[in-house]
């Protein structure tokens, strides 16, 4: 089994990375493979609602000029996902939101039923609002949200300070242990045991 961790911070070795590394280390100790993907500093376009991914049945975004499709390619090999982001103005990094929205729309079928968690790192406040924003897509995609002993928040401003947040680091370890436990339950029979789903019945409220 494997968990994909996305570092939504442009700082490669910053506090978000520190938090994700703590979770990844614990997952590895539980026998779960991990991979941390850096979002980096290059632009990531937002979804422009062209719908070409659906019309053409691509299973990926029609635009191939950033890392979105590189991560989509990894979704077939992962069994769970953790997305980490710094908090900017009480919100997740806009780049990671653009990335995740395009992933969900163009390749959401690859994420259905896979356990997920959001992790936020902040200097002082705004993390709970940011986590709520990041969790909402998980709920729409039938992705079980993995919990911890507290909201998945780590505090720190300067690079490396997150490691000094002893409760935050423990929260990351608890999150990882819960993720490993859930994955082991889902895969206990040798292959994923997901619940059946009714066919989606969308409706609009404008008549």
């Amino acid at each position: 089994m494997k968990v994909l961790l996305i570092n939504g911070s442009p700082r490669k070795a910053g506090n978000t990375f520190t938090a994700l590394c703590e979770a990844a280390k614990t997952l590895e100790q539980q026998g779960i493979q991990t991979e941390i993907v850096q979002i980096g500093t290059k632009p990531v376009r937002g979804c422009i609602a062209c719908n070409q991914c659906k019309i053409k049945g691509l299973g990926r975004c029609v635009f191939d000029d950033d890392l979105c499709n590189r991560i989509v390619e990894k979704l077939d090999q992962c069994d769970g996902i953790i997305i980490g982001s710094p908090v900017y103005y009480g919100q997740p990094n806009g780049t990671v939101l653009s990335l995740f929205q395009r992933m969900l729309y163009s390749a959401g079928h690859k994420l259905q039923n896979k356990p997920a968690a959001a992790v936020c790192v902040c200097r002082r406040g705004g993390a709970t609002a940011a986590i709520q924003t990041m969790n909402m897509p998980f709920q729409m995609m039938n992705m079980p949200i993995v919990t911890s002993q507290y909201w998945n928040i780590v505090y720190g401003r300067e690079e490396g300070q997150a490691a000094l947040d002893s409760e935050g680091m423990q929260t990351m370890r608890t999150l990882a242990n819960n993720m490993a436990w859930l994955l082991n339950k889902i895969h206990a029979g040798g292959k994923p045991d997901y619940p059946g789903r009714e066919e989606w019945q969308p409706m609009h409220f404008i008549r």
Side-chain angles (χ1 to χ4, degrees):
M1 292 176 287
K2 182 176 181 179
V3 172
L4 181 68
L5 300 94
I6 299 176
N7 178 13
S9 171
R11 296 180 178 176
K12 185 175 181 179
N15 289 316
T16 304
F17 179 72
T18 299
L20 293 178
C21 282
E22 191 72 10
K25 180 175 67 175
T26 303
L27 284 165
E28 295 279 354
Q29 291 170 349
Q30 294 286 349
I32 309 292
Q33 296 181 22
T34 65
E35 179 181 358
I36 299 179
V37 176
Q38 306 287 344
I39 199 168
T41 57
K42 295 182 179 179
V44 176
R45 68 168 70 233
C47 180
I48 63 168
C50 68
N51 211 36
Q52 291 301 302
C53 58
K54 304 294 185 185
I55 294 171
K56 296 181 178 180
L58 298 176
R60 58 176 175 79
C61 183
V62 69
F63 295 105
D64 203 28
D65 55 356
D66 57 30
L67 82 166
C68 179
N69 288 334
R70 305 292 79 76
I71 297 180
V72 166
E73 292 168 1
K74 298 177 182 293
L75 298 181
D76 287 325
Q77 283 75 49
C78 80
D79 303 287
I81 189 168
I82 299 175
I83 301 180
S85 176
V87 176
Y88 298 153
Y89 300 98
Q91 301 171 319
N93 179 2
T95 304
V96 78
L97 287 180
S98 294
L99 168 72
F100 199 46
Q101 287 168 5
R102 283 170 59 211
M103 286 171 51
L104 287 169
Y105 193 70
S106 64
H109 61 284
K110 296 185 178 184
L111 287 165
Q112 289 273 342
N113 300 307
K114 295 182 178 180
V119 171
C120 284
V121 177
C122 67
R123 179 190 69 86
R124 185 173 177 86
T128 52
I131 283 180
Q132 182 180 11
T133 298
M134 294 171 70
N135 276 340
M136 290 179 76
F138 299 151
Q139 294 174 298
M140 294 178 68
M141 301 304 295
N142 288 303
M143 300 173 72
I145 296 176
V146 183
T147 58
S148 187
Q149 63 188 20
Y150 193 73
W151 298 298
N152 299 328
I153 299 170
V154 178
Y155 291 91
R157 179 181 180 181
E158 302 302 328
E159 186 173 305
Q161 285 184 339
L164 303 177
D165 179 5
S166 58
E167 183 177 349
M169 292 294 99
Q170 185 181 57
T171 299
M172 293 301 99
R173 294 191 297 272
T174 303
L175 164 65
N177 281 323
N178 289 345
M179 172 75 80
W181 173 82
L182 183 55
L183 286 173
N184 282 318
K185 293 294 184 181
I186 292 172
H187 294 262
K191 63 179 182 179
D193 183 18
Y194 297 137
R197 305 288 183 198
E198 293 184 21
E199 184 178 351
W200 186 41
Q201 300 181 39
M203 67 168 290
H204 303 287
F205 294 97
I206 299 175
R207 299 294 186 213

